[in-house]
Amino acid sequence: MASRKSAVLKNNEEEKQEEEEEEEVSDSPTEVKMSQIIMPCHCNHRQELCVGQLLKWIDITACLSAERHAMSPCVTASMDDINFEHTIRVGQVVSIKSKVNRAFNSSMEVGIQVSCEDLFSGHHWKVCHAYATFVTQRKETGERVLLKPIVPETQKEQLEYSLAAERRRVRMLHDDIIKDLLTHGCIQQGDSVEFSNAVAAEKTKVESVELVLPPHTNHQVNTFGGQIMAWMVNVATIAASRLCQTHPTLRTIDMFTFRGPSQIGDRLLLKAIVNNAFTDSIEVGVRAEAYQDLGTNRHINSAFMIFEVLDDHGKPCTLPRLQPEPLEGERRFQEAIARKKIRLDRKYIISRKQCEVPLSVPWNPRNQVYLSYNNVSTLKTLASRKKWRLSSEKDKVRLYSLEEKTMLSFRVDTEVDVPAHTAFSLLAELCNRPSWDTYYQKCDLIHQVDDDDFLYHVVTPSVHPRIHQDFILLASKRRPCGSGDSYVIALRSVLLTSHPPTEGCNRGEVLCAGFIIQDTKNNIYYNQASPEVLPYISSDIAGLSTSFYNIFSSLLRLLPTVQRHA
């Protein structure tokens, strides 16, 4: 059982704490740093750094990291969602740091951190973080360049290396999630009815043609990805301005993919239109096409950009409604609602706090991918924390605790003399857990979502007289996808309408638990203690009991039996 740790977005205090904790010296050869002082030529009319210019610098820095590792030319394949938390003004310094997190066969993930410094006050703050995917260019023979693996050295690098595989999984399913939301009618219709003050979408259309010249290309004589992104931001800003009739602020760019290259002499046709206007945000869709004089247009890229209009106090203003065009406009209108739903689901999933009730997030097929990602990444993030304190040890079964603000986490680890895959095969079968874990009185499989995710109903011994406690758990099970990965079984509570709390049973909630099983090290169990879990383990942490040892001893006796039957 367990509790939680958000692994994607954190509040400022948590960020500061983690930055202090993760001050590790890294000699990664792929790390690249760029610092730029913001000049008026980089800025808009408000003397704020243009996002297009920032995207250019981000792309340059990330590409240098990718090419350092590949030792061959690389191109931008995609960029994950980018949320711009703060603006940057003239005279301030922007610092960009990039590093290859993980290399696959011919693609690699590059992590990018952007921060800002005020030279006069000495104040530093985070602007955004991003994950870009780069691919190697084919050799002259047409063969792909196979990348050597990344060897993480620090604990932070190990965490990013591990989570890169999870992020790759989400990228591959992103488009399918949008289609599924629309196909199954999960998006409310009727939002696009006419309003008396609605702005016709046709009025927000923008088209611009750019001629690709040598200054716009990279060292491979392809149009520089950052330049294309900057042009796309430009037309998107104009489209948003036509709706709100003022100067908007770009807040978010949704995940996008480069579909093909362009070269010197190409004309890039950039098309932008407002897809939907919500109460305080605008989604603009942008499409980039390349063509030669007599050739057909080639689709280079599409992106979706979210704008806000801020008042004098920095608060979002209420925006005009949009009247979409028939047919294609209606499709874009509904797809924008689907993308907003995904953004809100992700934000809700990763922002739950230990003190909030309920802790759990409602599970449904549409948010499955993001709940699963957060489930795994939360466990791995908790495991990477540094300040675990050994509370007790018996026969090499060790109990650790970790206190952070209002949260108490605990971990039990031990070494087992069986292969990791054998331990995983036993522990992944949660329905077998009552045979060795006295805290699991009953465990029933509710639903097998797919090969990796399962929903269970777990009943535990009563904490209060005559009242049992139960949990609805999402179990996300992962086998290693490459060298250096661990086997993972991550657990977290979810809400299911089909299984509401029942009378006479206290419904418990936990946000992070599970097993991390390594081939060469320990078999580790992590648990962040919520009020529902704490009574089970408080006496162990206080040194008054060794029930944790008895449970793991039962597991250790069972593992050799599983190995003999494997």
Side-chain angles (χ1 to χ4, degrees):
M1 286 158 281
S3 141
R4 69 114 214 170
K5 186 64 183 170
S6 172
V8 186
L9 295 180
K10 306 170 182 72
N11 62 34
N12 290 337
E13 289 186 1
E14 288 172 326
E15 275 181 4
K16 183 177 180 181
Q17 178 183 351
E18 288 197 356
E19 285 172 5
E20 290 174 354
E21 190 173 275
E22 291 166 357
E23 283 290 328
E24 297 176 300
V25 178
S26 171
D27 295 324
S28 172
T30 71
E31 185 171 281
V32 174
K33 297 179 180 179
M34 174 190 288
S35 293
Q36 297 278 355
I37 190 164
I38 308 307
M39 306 298 288
C41 60
H42 302 140
C43 296
N44 58 24
H45 66 288
R46 292 192 295 261
Q47 300 296 294
E48 295 171 352
L49 175 64
C50 293
V51 172
Q53 180 62 62
L54 179 58
L55 290 171
K56 285 185 188 180
W57 290 336
I58 287 174
D59 198 42
I60 290 172
T61 311
C63 186
L64 289 173
S65 285
E67 292 188 345
R68 271 190 179 180
H69 181 68
M71 292 187 289
S72 70
C74 297
V75 294
T76 313
S78 67
M79 189 80 72
D80 289 4
D81 299 359
I82 306 177
N83 181 50
F84 301 99
E85 300 175 20
H86 300 283
T87 56
I88 306 171
R89 302 189 66 84
V90 167
Q92 294 173 340
V93 173
V94 62
S95 297
I96 304 169
K97 182 169 67 174
S98 65
K99 184 195 301 183
V100 177
N101 291 331
R102 184 162 185 165
F104 300 95
N105 288 331
S106 58
S107 68
M108 68 201 93
E109 180 191 276
V110 180
I112 306 117
Q113 295 284 347
V114 181
S115 60
C116 188
E117 174 189 1
D118 189 303
L119 294 173
F120 302 112
S121 67
H123 181 55
H124 293 75
W125 62 93
K126 177 182 172 183
V127 176
C128 67
H129 73 267
Y131 297 101
T133 301
F134 282 79
V135 295
T136 54
Q137 292 278 62
R138 291 183 181 271
K139 299 177 182 178
E140 293 181 1
T141 59
E143 296 179 75
R144 281 199 175 277
V145 176
L146 295 180
L147 297 169
K148 62 183 179 182
I150 287 287
V151 180
E153 296 181 356
T154 67
Q155 201 165 18
K156 174 66 174 174
E157 289 174 355
Q158 180 61 53
L159 177 63
E160 290 291 355
Y161 177 91
S162 182
L163 293 180
E166 283 297 305
R167 287 188 287 264
R168 188 181 188 219
R169 171 190 172 99
V170 173
R171 288 179 202 116
M172 295 173 70
L173 295 171
H174 181 74
D175 291 342
D176 291 337
I177 296 167
I178 297 286
K179 292 176 184 176
D180 186 63
L181 280 171
L182 297 169
T183 302
H184 290 86
C186 301
I187 304 304
Q188 292 182 354
Q189 304 294 321
D191 285 339
S192 57
V193 297
E194 292 193 23
F195 297 94
S196 58
N197 62 341
V199 177
E202 295 93 328
K203 293 184 178 180
T204 70
K205 277 186 178 178
V206 179
E207 286 195 5
S208 178
V209 178
E210 301 284 351
L211 175 62
V212 179
L213 298 172
H216 304 139
T217 60
N218 57 25
H219 51 295
Q220 305 158 45
V221 202
N222 289 325
T223 312
F224 176 44
Q227 179 63 69
I228 296 174
M229 288 188 280
W231 284 334
M232 295 175 79
V233 169
N234 183 49
V235 294
T237 304
I238 296 172
S241 299
R242 288 181 174 173
L243 176 83
C244 60
Q245 296 186 330
T246 187
H247 298 288
T249 299
L250 178 58
R251 280 297 182 217
T252 303
I253 301 178
D254 263 16
M255 184 185 301
F256 62 85
T257 302
F258 283 95
R259 299 171 181 267
S262 66
Q263 295 82 30
I264 292 175
D266 277 346
R267 278 72 169 169
L268 287 192
L269 175 61
L270 303 152
K271 302 177 182 179
I273 188 170
V274 174
N275 291 332
N276 206 328
F278 304 101
T279 303
D280 56 4
S281 65
I282 303 166
E283 182 191 283
V284 179
V286 191
R287 180 183 174 96
E289 300 174 354
Y291 66 92
Q292 294 284 349
D293 291 335
L294 302 176
T296 57
N297 288 16
R298 310 186 313 274
H299 186 188
I300 297 298
N301 195 3
S302 290
F304 303 98
M305 305 185 184
I306 316 304
F307 291 84
E308 293 177 347
V309 175
L310 304 178
D311 62 19
D312 294 337
H313 302 288
K315 302 294 183 182
C317 300
T318 301
L319 298 166
R321 302 304 296 264
L322 182 82
Q323 180 61 47
E325 301 172 291
L327 301 178
E328 279 298 298
E330 288 283 351
R331 176 187 63 78
R332 292 194 298 266
F333 189 92
Q334 297 300 331
E335 287 180 353
I337 298 173
R339 282 185 289 272
K340 183 178 182 183
K341 181 182 186 307
I342 288 174
R343 287 193 298 273
L344 291 175
D345 281 350
R346 282 199 303 249
K347 185 176 181 180
Y348 180 62
I349 287 167
I350 62 184
S351 64
R352 308 308 292 157
K353 302 296 180 185
Q354 188 68 50
C355 57
E356 292 182 44
V357 177
L359 295 172
S360 306
V361 174
W363 181 91
N364 63 66
R366 261 61 65 184
N367 70 4
Q368 170 208 334
V369 171
Y370 303 106
L371 265 173
S372 179
Y373 166 78
N374 186 254
N375 195 14
V376 175
S377 62
T378 297
L379 179 63
K380 290 183 176 181
T381 301
L382 180 60
S384 71
R385 308 298 279 176
K386 283 185 172 183
K387 297 180 181 178
W388 291 97
R389 181 178 62 83
L390 181 64
S391 297
S392 58
E393 180 177 0
K394 183 177 180 181
D395 294 340
K396 297 184 179 179
V397 178
R398 295 169 289 274
L399 174 66
Y400 296 85
S401 61
L402 173 67
E403 295 184 49
E404 295 178 301
K405 296 184 171 39
T406 59
M407 292 182 294
L408 171 66
S409 306
F410 70 91
R411 146 188 153 195
V412 182
D413 72 30
T414 189
E415 297 177 5
V416 294
D417 191 22
V418 298
H421 66 84
T422 302
F424 177 77
S425 67
L426 170 66
L427 299 175
E429 292 295 333
L430 223 60
C431 291
N432 294 334
R433 189 159 172 176
S435 67
W436 59 269
D437 189 345
T438 56
Y439 292 152
Y440 271 54
Q441 281 193 343
K442 185 179 179 183
C443 181
D444 296 320
L445 177 64
I446 298 173
H447 175 50
Q448 180 174 342
V449 181
D450 53 29
D451 291 340
D452 298 311
D453 293 318
F454 303 77
L455 294 166
Y456 292 95
H457 178 229
V458 175
V459 179
T460 64
S462 58
V463 177
H464 306 290
R466 298 182 297 280
I467 299 179
H468 281 77
Q469 185 158 266
D470 69 344
F471 299 82
I472 303 297
L473 297 181
L474 168 65
S476 301
K477 307 171 185 180
R478 299 288 189 271
R479 290 175 172 79
C481 77
S483 175
D485 283 331
S486 304
Y487 290 87
V488 176
I489 304 159
L491 306 172
R492 62 160 293 155
S493 290
V494 293
L495 299 178
L496 281 182
T497 55
S498 61
H499 289 71
T502 57
E503 188 175 351
C505 196
N506 179 48
R507 176 59 53 85
E509 294 184 278
V510 290
L511 281 180
C512 178
F515 296 89
I516 295 178
I517 306 164
Q518 300 172 331
D519 266 321
T520 56
K521 291 187 179 179
N522 295 332
N523 193 8
I524 307 176
Y525 174 65
Y526 291 95
N527 192 334
Q528 207 162 30
S530 63
E532 294 83 4
V533 175
L534 193 58
Y536 297 112
I537 51 87
S538 58
S539 60
D540 284 320
I541 293 177
L544 304 176
S545 170
T546 57
S547 62
F548 76 94
Y549 169 76
N550 297 327
I551 291 172
F552 262 67
S553 294
S554 298
L555 172 61
L556 297 179
R557 286 193 296 269
L558 189 59
L559 281 171
T561 305
V562 175
Q563 185 177 16
R564 285 197 298 270
H565 289 86

